[in-house]
Amino acid sequence: MVCSIRSLCMRSACVKAAVTEVQFGPMRLHQDQLQVLLVFAKEDSQSNGFCCACEKAGFKSNIAKTPESALESFLDKRHEIVIIDHRQSRCFDAEALCRSIRATKPSENSVIIAVVRKQSDRDETSIMPLISAGFTRRYVENPNVMACYNELIQLEYGEVRAQFKLRACNSLFTTLEKSQEAIEITNEDHKIQYVNPAFESMMGYQKDELYGKELIEVPINEKKSDFLDSINSCIKTGKEWEGVYYAKNKNGDNIQQNVKIIPVFGHRGKIRHYVSISRPCNDNNKVEKQCERVQAESQTDIQSCRHKDRRKGSLDVRSTTSRGSDGSSQRRHSSMARIHSMTIEAPITKVINIINAAQENSPMPVAEALDRVLEILRTTELYSPQLGTKDEDPHTSDLVGGLMTDGLRRLSGNEYILSAKQVHPSSGHLISSLSLTDIPPRIAQAMENEEDWEFDIFELEAATHKRPLVYLGLKLFARFGVCSFLNCSEVTLRSWLHVIESNYHAGNAYHNSTHSADVLHATAYFLCKERVKQSLDQIDEVAALIAATVHDVDHPGRTNSFLCNAGSELAILYNDTAVLESHHAALAFQLTTRDDKCNIFKNMERNEYRTLRQAIIDMVLATEMTKHFEHVNKFVNSINKPLAALEENGGNISDDESVKNILTSPENRILIKRMLIKCADISNPCRALEQCIEWAGRISEEYFAQTDEEKRQGLPVVMPVFDRNTCSIPKSQISFVDYFITDMFDAWDAFADLPNLMQHMDNNFKYWKSLDERQLKTLRPPPE
């Protein structure tokens, strides 16, 4: 019977050509035919099962019956897999054999399996003795050829390939050891894990003096530590950083280095290591040093942060700095005197004081670098990245210019007059008998899945004849218990929703009540995410829903830049600063409080109302794009990073007190609410493809109309690329996603867990990319 089984396996097996190909990063590796050592004192069905399985898998097997022959065979063949019979304790000690094999050098990359007897649940024993002896795993006896074959295949694609990759690391480390460039590897906490001989030679340190130390503990890295902090916003998203800086070697001498820092992503998509590659600049004579210092300044001034993902290099954040001058020391002393004379110090003042003090005894290169730092800190736009020339990417430049500035400040005398039509709550036609209990069936059906992200706002827009805000508002406000919290009736709420919706301009292509309803839906969706619920109280939820409803009320369909250039009444009223956002917030409270019939706040206690009002205003103002990067950076640095650090240290800590403190502190709750409404406001690229396309068409049309009007009135054209005759809508969407959306939603997803939104964003980006690659400028490809 044994012979027949073996012959059957021989006939049916498809013996492979015995080459396994493994991809290891950018390195392609090839593995010869796998070798399997079977150690069975007696031939039985189990040993035969593994023999047939090896033949079926295309592995080469050897059989040994004694520990001595097994060890001799292993040292000769160096098998990738060793299977030892642990069932026959009278024949030989399987655990002792395993320890003997593990004592040899070749066993470092071998997988050793113990075949054990079947046991009942009552007799089940611990696997720890096997692990202690050196076994990789155990196999509960099962002579079935297919079971043995499955076990071998799992080993090949699991432990064996993992060991093969580890074995290949030896060649990679040999390369690093022989490299003439100084290479340093740190973990995500910036603790040094590896330096190569070139690094030791250049810096004068031995490996043992560096391993396990944080960068800030090592004198040579005093400058580099600052760089790692300052460029974290660049490398955290997978970009490289490259620049020039001075470092001190062990003897205290300054060494100017060209440095490249590369983040390496690992488990869970997080940065696990930083690889630093350094090469000393030439140091032949004093003249060359002076030239190099100038080059270092210019290179530092235009640090490159190159993406390794889909973003263009032209969109990368760049630092602009000013060079030190001969009078810098004098300026330093005078500024210090003025600052020290101040009785009240802001945090930024303390930072400047510390830098000034550090400059006193610093070497000239460090003092000049700190001068440039002070110049940057004295600007007001600390969070706003600066683009290169318009030639690099006109779509991005125009978007940023149109959305993040208050105009060119060149007033032409032509005023843009907002619609004087403001619907008063006292108008009879606004009051209707609409209630949640008598919503028309078609509208009710359109709102059935309003709890899902896939909810189609355009279907509701059609069903309500472009009045979706009242209906969706009634349903969402009821779900969150807003009337109960405000102590107002449903009649008052629907009157208020009517007033607010009536003050949205239906003639706007994009900024109309459908956009408001869409933002309200996204806000409600985010409020239901577990991490958000842990952070916010009911007053925060109510504030978010109201802010989303009113955040663009009476929007004229023109940008802040347009209003400022046109010298509009609103721009004059709000001093060219956050013009529209200030108007939306102010008008919302004017419309609400001027008539008791729609005053949803009338029954609130005074202090609670003030708290709610402040939260609503803060959220509406947060939708202004000039502070986009400030809000995102504060959110990442104050919330995402501390949470990530706690998760790294403590694993699953959802109930941890430290997490609760981060999530519920008053300052962080404000940041969460700002981030929430910002993401809801510009979530179009994260919607389903058809919705994304529709929104892209609408915002483009609104921008086209603005450009047309600017040309008619002789105003500066804020976004020249949005000319309806030449504009590429795919390019504009790609730029918008690259510059504003990706980083913000990466941060929001890390906090709120939104895989479906991120998938939509990727799909939509690929769609726009495909159109752009075909040089199409339209929303959709032409019909086949």
Side-chain angles (χ1 to χ4, degrees):
M1 181 64 180
V2 170
C3 294
S4 63
I5 292 177
R6 183 170 296 179
S7 61
L8 176 63
C9 290
M10 286 293 291
R11 290 195 302 271
S12 62
C14 178
V15 180
K16 297 188 289 187
V19 176
T20 300
E21 188 175 288
V22 182
Q23 189 75 21
F24 182 40
M27 185 176 179
R28 191 172 296 278
L29 309 173
H30 296 273
Q31 169 65 33
D32 295 332
Q33 186 176 25
L34 290 184
Q35 303 266 358
V36 181
L37 175 60
L38 303 174
V39 186
F40 286 83
K42 298 177 181 179
E43 183 176 314
D44 61 2
S45 59
Q46 183 65 73
S47 64
N48 291 330
F50 273 117
C51 283
C52 291
C54 288
E55 293 167 358
K56 182 178 178 64
F59 300 163
K60 186 174 181 179
S61 63
N62 299 103
I63 299 177
K65 294 187 177 182
T66 65
E68 294 77 17
S69 62
L71 187 58
E72 181 181 356
S73 178
F74 177 76
L75 291 174
D76 179 40
K77 302 291 185 181
R78 303 192 176 193
H79 306 81
E80 283 80 21
I81 301 174
V82 180
I83 300 176
I84 302 176
D85 188 1
H86 195 278
R87 300 168 300 162
Q88 309 291 341
S89 58
R90 294 190 303 273
C91 299
F92 59 81
D93 188 339
E95 294 180 14
L97 174 58
C98 182
R99 280 191 287 269
S100 298
I101 295 175
R102 285 297 184 204
T104 67
K105 183 68 174 176
S107 70
E108 288 181 354
N109 301 114
S110 296
V111 177
I112 306 180
I113 308 300
V115 179
V116 301
R117 292 188 179 279
K118 289 183 179 178
Q119 293 177 323
S120 63
D121 292 340
R122 184 177 58 186
D123 297 331
E124 181 68 34
T125 57
S126 172
I127 198 173
M128 286 310 300
L130 298 178
I131 300 295
S132 300
F135 285 103
T136 307
R137 56 193 286 180
R138 70 176 181 177
Y139 176 82
V140 179
E141 62 176 340
N142 183 349
N144 182 276
V145 174
M146 205 63 203
C148 297
Y149 173 79
N150 288 340
E151 177 72 8
L152 291 175
I153 296 302
Q154 289 181 74
L155 290 173
E156 178 191 8
Y157 284 88
E159 286 89 343
V160 172
R161 285 198 174 186
Q163 292 296 332
F164 183 46
K165 290 180 180 180
L166 290 175
R167 203 164 59 199
C169 286
N170 291 331
S171 62
L172 299 180
F173 275 101
T174 301
T175 305
L176 295 179
E177 293 287 302
K178 300 301 180 182
S179 172
Q180 294 182 357
E181 292 183 311
I183 297 172
E184 175 189 38
I185 301 176
T186 67
N187 64 8
E188 67 268 35
D189 297 322
H190 304 303
K191 289 187 177 180
I192 299 172
Q193 307 294 298
Y194 170 84
V195 295
N196 69 344
F199 186 96
E200 293 179 287
S201 175
M202 181 175 73
M203 305 309 300
Y205 284 90
Q206 298 297 314
K207 294 177 181 177
D208 294 340
E209 298 178 81
L210 301 175
Y211 285 171
K213 290 189 176 181
E214 290 190 37
L215 292 179
I216 57 174
E217 299 175 21
V218 184
I220 63 169
N221 290 308
E222 57 183 273
K223 179 72 176 165
K224 187 175 177 183
S225 174
D226 296 338
F227 273 173
L228 285 175
D229 290 337
S230 66
I231 66 175
N232 190 54
S233 61
C234 170
I235 62 177
K236 70 176 182 179
T237 54
K239 307 173 192 175
E240 295 177 4
W241 181 88
E242 189 169 359
V244 177
Y245 70 89
Y246 284 82
K248 288 183 180 179
N249 63 13
K250 190 173 182 179
N251 295 328
D253 299 327
N254 278 328
I255 297 178
Q256 188 184 22
Q257 301 172 346
N258 290 307
V259 179
K260 180 183 291 186
I261 301 173
I262 307 162
V264 181
F265 288 86
H267 179 56
R268 294 194 294 182
K270 294 185 178 180
I271 294 174
R272 299 299 177 180
H273 292 92
Y274 295 98
V275 176
S276 175
I277 304 172
S278 307
R279 177 182 294 169
C281 301
N282 292 330
D283 194 21
N284 295 331
N285 54 53
K286 194 171 182 180
V287 176
E288 285 187 4
K289 285 185 179 180
Q290 188 65 29
C291 293
E292 288 167 0
R293 184 176 301 159
V294 175
Q295 290 174 357
E297 288 177 348
S298 63
Q299 288 191 34
T300 305
D301 289 350
I302 54 170
Q303 301 165 14
S304 63
C305 299
R306 293 196 298 271
H307 273 281
K308 288 299 179 186
D309 57 12
R310 60 176 176 245
R311 299 175 184 77
K312 297 179 181 178
S314 61
L315 304 181
D316 295 334
V317 178
R318 300 187 176 187
S319 303
T320 58
T321 61
S322 60
R323 300 180 182 181
S325 63
D326 294 336
S328 61
S329 179
Q330 252 185 335
R331 290 199 310 274
R332 238 184 357 258
H333 287 293
S334 61
S335 63
M336 280 184 64
R338 289 196 301 273
I339 291 173
H340 284 300
S341 67
M342 297 174 64
T343 56
I344 300 177
E345 283 192 328
I348 190 64
T349 307
K350 294 179 181 179
V351 171
I352 293 174
N353 282 344
I354 293 170
I355 293 173
N356 277 317
Q359 284 181 313
E360 292 302 312
N361 298 312
S362 298
M364 184 55 67
V366 176
E368 290 179 354
L370 291 176
D371 262 334
R372 295 196 296 274
V373 172
L374 289 173
E375 291 295 330
I376 296 171
L377 291 178
R378 290 187 182 107
T379 67
T380 57
E381 299 300 324
L382 296 180
Y383 287 89
S384 297
Q386 296 169 337
L387 287 178
T389 64
K390 284 194 173 237
D391 294 337
E392 291 181 353
D393 193 325
H395 288 82
T396 303
S397 297
D398 283 2
L399 274 171
V400 175
L403 298 177
M404 296 187 64
T405 65
D406 291 321
L408 302 177
R409 313 294 188 196
R410 293 199 297 265
L411 304 184
S412 66
N414 298 315
E415 293 189 0
Y416 176 76
I417 307 300
L418 291 180
S419 171
K421 172 181 175 289
Q422 292 184 350
V423 182
H424 288 258
S426 57
S427 302
H429 70 276
L430 293 180
I431 306 301
S432 72
S433 59
L434 174 65
S435 171
L436 280 174
T437 57
D438 57 3
I439 289 178
R442 185 190 173 194
I443 296 176
Q445 183 179 0
M447 293 194 298
E448 277 184 353
N449 67 330
E450 50 82 19
E451 295 186 26
D452 299 333
W453 184 254
E454 311 305 323
F455 171 71
D456 189 350
I457 192 65
F458 300 115
E459 183 181 346
L460 182 62
E461 179 190 59
T464 59
H465 304 290
K466 297 187 177 182
R467 308 287 284 181
L469 187 57
V470 170
Y471 294 94
L472 186 62
L474 279 172
K475 188 167 186 181
L476 291 179
F477 279 44
R479 174 149 67 89
F480 282 87
V482 174
C483 284
S484 175
F485 178 84
L486 297 176
N487 192 23
C488 75
S489 65
E490 186 182 309
V491 173
T492 303
L493 174 64
R494 72 170 178 264
S495 297
W496 178 77
L497 287 169
H498 269 295
V499 169
I500 297 301
E501 183 158 44
S502 297
N503 279 274
Y504 276 92
H505 297 197
N508 289 346
Y510 182 88
H511 287 101
N512 49 41
S513 68
T514 302
H515 167 66
S516 174
D518 182 63
V519 175
L520 175 60
H521 170 263
T523 299
Y525 182 82
F526 294 152
L527 288 174
C528 293
K529 306 307 291 183
E530 189 58 36
R531 183 63 70 75
V532 178
K533 289 195 293 185
Q534 292 174 7
S535 309
L536 304 183
D537 297 332
Q538 189 177 13
I539 192 169
D540 299 312
E541 294 177 348
V542 173
L545 294 169
I546 294 175
T549 304
V550 305
H551 83 283
D552 272 336
V553 65
D554 197 38
H555 196 294
R558 300 292 182 266
T559 63
N560 279 334
S561 298
F562 180 97
L563 300 183
C564 294
N565 289 334
S568 72
E569 292 180 359
L570 285 180
I572 294 171
L573 176 63
Y574 294 109
N575 301 313
D576 291 353
T577 304
V579 175
L580 285 171
E581 293 73 25
S582 300
H583 175 61
H584 303 323
L587 181 63
F589 281 94
Q590 290 172 5
L591 295 173
T592 303
T593 57
R594 67 173 50 159
D595 192 322
D596 275 359
K597 292 179 182 178
C598 66
N599 187 356
I600 56 177
F601 306 128
K602 62 184 176 183
N603 295 324
M604 292 190 71
E605 188 270 329
R606 179 183 295 273
N607 289 334
E608 193 170 46
Y609 167 68
R610 287 173 62 86
T611 302
L612 180 66
R613 169 176 158 80
Q614 188 57 50
I616 294 169
I617 294 172
D618 184 82
M619 292 184 75
V620 173
L621 293 180
T623 61
E624 182 207 4
M625 293 302 289
T626 62
K627 294 189 176 180
H628 171 83
F629 293 99
E630 177 177 345
H631 294 320
V632 174
N633 275 289
K634 284 182 177 178
F635 179 84
V636 170
N637 288 309
S638 299
I639 298 171
N640 276 8
K641 287 184 181 178
L643 287 176
L646 288 174
E647 289 173 359
E648 288 294 313
N649 295 331
N652 184 13
I653 50 171
S654 57
D655 298 325
D656 193 277
E657 191 66 26
S658 300
V659 174
K660 184 178 180 182
N661 291 339
I662 293 172
L663 295 179
T664 59
S665 72
E667 299 84 359
N668 286 351
R669 282 167 54 200
I670 291 173
L671 297 181
I672 292 168
K673 287 184 288 185
R674 289 174 181 171
M675 193 72 165
L676 185 151
I677 197 167
K678 280 182 61 60
C679 289
D681 187 26
I682 53 177
S683 64
N684 306 156
C686 298
R687 291 287 188 181
L689 178 60
E690 282 305 313
Q691 294 186 51
C692 174
I693 294 173
E694 177 65 23
W695 285 123
R698 293 188 178 198
I699 191 63
S700 298
E701 176 54 40
E702 198 163 286
Y703 287 160
F704 294 158
Q706 174 170 309
T707 301
D708 292 343
E709 185 166 354
E710 286 166 335
K711 291 178 178 179
R712 283 197 306 271
Q713 294 193 22
L715 295 172
V717 178
V718 175
M719 296 182 283
V721 77
F722 281 97
D723 185 311
R724 66 175 68 250
N725 298 316
T726 59
C727 180
S728 168
I729 295 178
K731 281 187 184 296
S732 69
Q733 287 297 304
I734 290 169
S735 296
F736 184 64
V737 172
D738 269 334
Y739 200 78
F740 291 107
I741 298 297
T742 301
D743 287 341
M744 182 174 74
F745 271 94
D746 280 344
W748 188 234
D749 171 52
F751 178 79
D753 188 21
L754 304 161
N756 51 337
L757 276 73
M758 305 308 287
Q759 187 61 57
H760 281 313
M761 183 177 72
D762 287 341
N763 294 341
N764 296 337
F765 188 88
K766 290 174 183 175
Y767 173 81
W768 297 122
K769 265 291 190 186
S770 67
L771 293 184
D772 185 47
E773 287 167 358
R774 296 168 59 183
Q775 298 184 337
L776 298 174
K777 298 183 177 182
T778 53
L779 288 168
R780 292 180 173 83
E784 296 295 336

